[in-house]
Amino acid sequence: MKSLNSVFQSIWSDYTAFNPHAKTIYDQILAHERESQPGVQALVNDHIALRTFDHPHLNIQVLGRLFEKYGYEAKSEYHFEDKKLYARHWEHSDPKAPKVFISELLTRHFSPRVREIADAAAASFTQAQMSEPDILWAGRPWPASHAVYQELLKESEYAAWLYAFGFRCNHFTVFFNELKSFKDLHELNEYLMAKGHKLNASGGLIKGTPAEFLEQSSTLAGKVQIEFTDGRFEIPACYYEFARRYKKPNGELFTGFIATSADKIFESTNVRH
Ligand code: NI
């Protein structure tokens, strides 16, 4: 069995190869940190996020199980009525291990076309493949056309994204609390915008408040060229998130997520803003 570290390393390699802007931001924040503390080696990742269909062959439980083998435990559930998504997050007993946020598209609320695509995705992987972590960076083995992608956009940005990109990490998240050179998330956002990065302004640049124990911001997904069966097209891929957590009244750091904030964060991959 691969080590948990090597699983996250593979997910990160796939994500940054595909989304060079995320690697650029990582390097820029690390450089800023090193100005005040030259010895800092790496940024801490708060969580990764994964997307899937609710098909029983590859739903949230199937992906969650891959992490449970490494000692992760399923925690809170989240419902997104408008986007017709269900999500859950997993935590490891080692607080340094990133949290894992997995969402699934509730296909019964969509057209038969969406269910056909979920079926095709499910048919692309064997049971054995679905029980190995390599699935988390397997990408899209099914053929996809830009025409269908555009049709899907009318129904669900999430469905269109999943159809075009398949299984790969949707975002990594810089854990702000471990940064020493920015006084707050606002200052980090300003730094990133000054470097030319575009941030998701849906619901304001910062989602959530200290009173909710979680503040988040994110970039807009970088655009990448994708090979479709009907040509090459540039579409939004993945984004990078920044999360600052606060202590609850009991003195423990809040480790969950806020559905109203996550709802806006999902829109970081939208074609339309
Ligand atoms: Ni996130």
Side-chain angles (χ1 to χ4, degrees), residues 47 49 171 173 216 239 241 257 265:
H47 67 271
H171 63 271
T173 310
Q216 292 164 282
Y239 57 95
E241 191 186 309
F257 294 85
I265 295 274

Side-chain angles (χ1 to χ4, degrees), residues 18-215:
F18 206 61
N19 302 277
H21 89 285
K23 180 66 169 73
T24 302
I25 289 174
Y26 180 95
D27 291 341
Q28 287 169 339
I29 296 177
L30 188 59
H32 193 272
E33 287 286 282
R34 281 178 175 160
E35 285 171 21
S36 51
Q37 10 149 34
V40 60
Q41 291 300 312
L43 303 181
V44 178
N45 180 30
D46 179 77
H47 67 271
I48 63 162
L50 305 164
R51 295 178 172 186
T52 191
F53 295 107
D54 64 355
H55 190 290
H57 189 66
L58 36 72
N59 64 15
I60 226 171
Q61 281 83 11
V62 175
L63 296 189
R65 229 173 278 141
L66 298 172
F67 291 93
E68 287 167 5
K69 281 188 207 161
Y70 290 95
Y72 274 84
E73 266 182 59
K75 299 285 181 180
S76 310
E77 299 176 279
Y78 311 91
H79 300 276
F80 302 90
E81 304 274 328
D82 293 345
K83 294 183 173 64
K84 299 175 177 69
L85 302 172
Y86 163 70
R88 191 150 201 199
H89 91 270
W90 274 256
E91 287 179 29
H92 199 274
S93 55
D94 174 2
K96 288 204 163 58
K99 288 168 267 300
V100 177
F101 182 93
I102 312 178
S103 56
E104 67 182 14
L105 187 74
L106 305 174
T107 54
R108 65 183 176 279
H109 298 300
F110 292 93
S111 68
R113 190 206 291 272
V114 170
R115 282 190 294 280
E116 279 164 27
I117 288 167
D119 288 345
S124 307
F125 300 107
T126 64
Q127 206 87 44
Q129 282 175 307
M130 290 309 302
S131 60
E132 291 296 331
D134 306 54
I135 194 74
L136 301 169
W137 56 91
R140 165 174 62 81
W142 55 87
S145 79
H146 189 252
V148 170
Y149 172 77
Q150 283 184 301
E151 280 301 309
L152 288 174
L153 281 177
K154 295 177 194 160
E155 278 195 70
S156 160
E157 289 263 3
Y158 184 106
W161 189 93
L162 196 50
Y163 171 70
F165 294 106
F167 287 99
R168 52 182 8 129
C169 184
N170 178 260
H171 63 271
F172 273 71
T173 310
V174 174
F175 185 34
F176 178 89
N177 300 44
E178 295 286 337
L179 299 181
K180 303 283 188 288
S181 63
F182 297 93
K183 76 173 193 302
D184 53 26
L185 208 49
H186 173 74
E187 197 177 279
L188 176 61
N189 288 344
E190 292 291 320
Y191 172 75
L192 295 173
M193 288 189 290
K195 293 277 186 199
H197 301 292
K198 292 193 179 68
L199 300 187
N200 173 356
S202 175
L205 286 181
I206 297 177
K207 285 71 151 149
T209 61
E212 292 168 296
F213 313 119
L214 177 62
E215 289 180 312

